[in-house]
Amino acid sequence: MQNKVNLLGHSLESLEDFFLVNNESKFRAKQLLKWIHQKGILDFNLMTDFNKDLRKKLNSIAYIQPPTISEEHVSKEGTIKYLIQLDSGSMVEMVEIPEKKRRTLCISSQAGCALQCTFCATGAQGFEQNLESHEIIGQLWLSNFHNKHNKPITNIVFMGMGEPLLNFNPVIESAKIMKHQLAYGLSRKRITISTSGIVPKIEELFDKIDVSLAISLHAPDDELRDEIVPINNKYPIKNLLKACKDYLNHYENKRSITIEYVLIENVNDSIEHAKKLSKLLSSMSCKINLIPFNSFKGSNYRRPTNKKIKLFKDYLMNKGFITTLRITRGDEVDGACGQLVGNLSNSIKGKHLISHKSIQ
Ligand code: SAH
Ligand code: SF4
């Protein structure tokens, strides 16, 4: 494969450039995009509207290859958790969550993460590498095509391993493919980028692509957020909320942002915190997604009691916020979207599967 290019992660524009540089017609890009992402075909020789010479040429300069599924675990509720091996040998996870009308895929953008949020297993693992765009879109390709009787994915959340806005270009490139009508055709409502708050990149995001935004807030003031989401020391809450408002203004306030809030016992789960949070978000068009902390080996944090979670949620609902609760189920929970454990292979042995459901 040396010197050959993997075309799986090329958006339409990149494919057009590729064909033009190689003295071929631009319209081949549209055909190729459809073959790969709508028909699931990776072998140039099976692309019947490419003539023999073109196939030969493509075989000599390019290839199309998704990453490898190394393990696959299905829970009782139908959630499928995959361990994915990258070209480098590094491992990431992706999780497929079937619901009544939707099939959501939680994907990874980095192996590990440099940001070290104190409640996150990926952060505890440290940073390994950025994923290439073919390794990001490759997760969606695998989900849709490796197991043909599964229904296609309807929603994507960048809530697996890593901070998507710190791997900006490959994330944008893969999101373009997700949205394109000749590929997966997912609307912006169905693609959510979750960020811990990389302010300059949020500002850049809406210039580059229209997707839904989720902010991992987790604390209502800088003192606490500095501690549990350390990137807050660089981009404090005021700046973060300004970037959110710029995002909303850019779309003339016709949409809202999801605010994620991991509830950790005796850290950020009191009514005082809920009060501060509701004040902080009072002028923002948003919905709040509460995520009870998922424990993992090596962490001293705990999940609050159901009673406390309910009180927190009810407080916000009474203040008029649309508030959802991500429920996790399972015998033992040490692997979930966004809290994927360092020793991945061990983490998904046995019954460590969960499913997520959003309830009002
Ligand atoms: N880096 C991005 C996206 C990946 S994390 C971000 O931080 O937003 C996706 C979500 O899972 C984030 O809201 C994150 O805070 C949350 N998360 C991380 N660890 C968790 C844990 N142990 N329990 C519950 N949610 C967790
Ligand atoms: Fe990184 Fe997100 Fe985990 Fe924080 S919560 S360490 S930003 S993956």
Side-chain angles (χ1 to χ4, degrees), residues 205-324:
L205 181 67
F206 49 76
D207 270 347
K208 295 269 157 63
I209 196 162
D210 183 6
V211 288
S212 300
L213 186 61
I215 300 290
S216 291
L217 191 61
H218 310 317
D221 59 54
D222 282 326
E223 198 187 346
L224 180 58
R225 197 165 191 269
D226 279 349
E227 189 191 317
I228 64 177
V229 184
I231 193 69
N232 195 70
N233 290 280
K234 192 164 180 191
Y235 305 119
I237 291 179
K238 195 169 156 233
N239 304 15
L240 178 55
L241 294 189
K242 159 89 172 49
C244 291
K245 288 198 171 141
D246 290 346
Y247 169 92
L248 293 169
N249 285 338
H250 181 84
Y251 296 109
E252 294 166 348
N253 293 313
K254 286 188 182 131
R255 62 181 64 187
S256 77
I257 286 178
T258 302
I259 299 291
E260 293 164 279
Y261 194 101
V262 172
L263 282 167
I264 311 168
E265 188 179 64
N266 297 335
V267 174
N268 64 356
D269 64 338
S270 70
I271 287 299
E272 271 312 303
H273 291 115
K275 262 188 202 164
K276 273 192 178 175
L277 185 65
S278 84
K279 269 197 194 139
L280 189 69
L281 299 176
S282 58
S283 63
M284 171 101 90
S285 166
C286 65
K287 61 176 202 280
I288 301 173
N289 187 19
L290 299 174
I291 316 166
F293 171 68
N294 280 312
S295 66
F296 57 92
K297 216 171 146 197
S299 173
N300 295 326
Y301 288 145
R302 280 190 309 263
R303 175 197 165 118
T305 58
N306 286 346
K307 195 176 156 201
K308 226 166 161 196
I309 293 173
K310 188 174 182 310
L311 283 175
F312 200 95
K313 178 170 175 252
D314 288 349
Y315 183 89
L316 294 171
M317 301 263 283
N318 286 335
K319 288 285 173 191
F321 290 97
I322 297 172
T323 310
T324 55

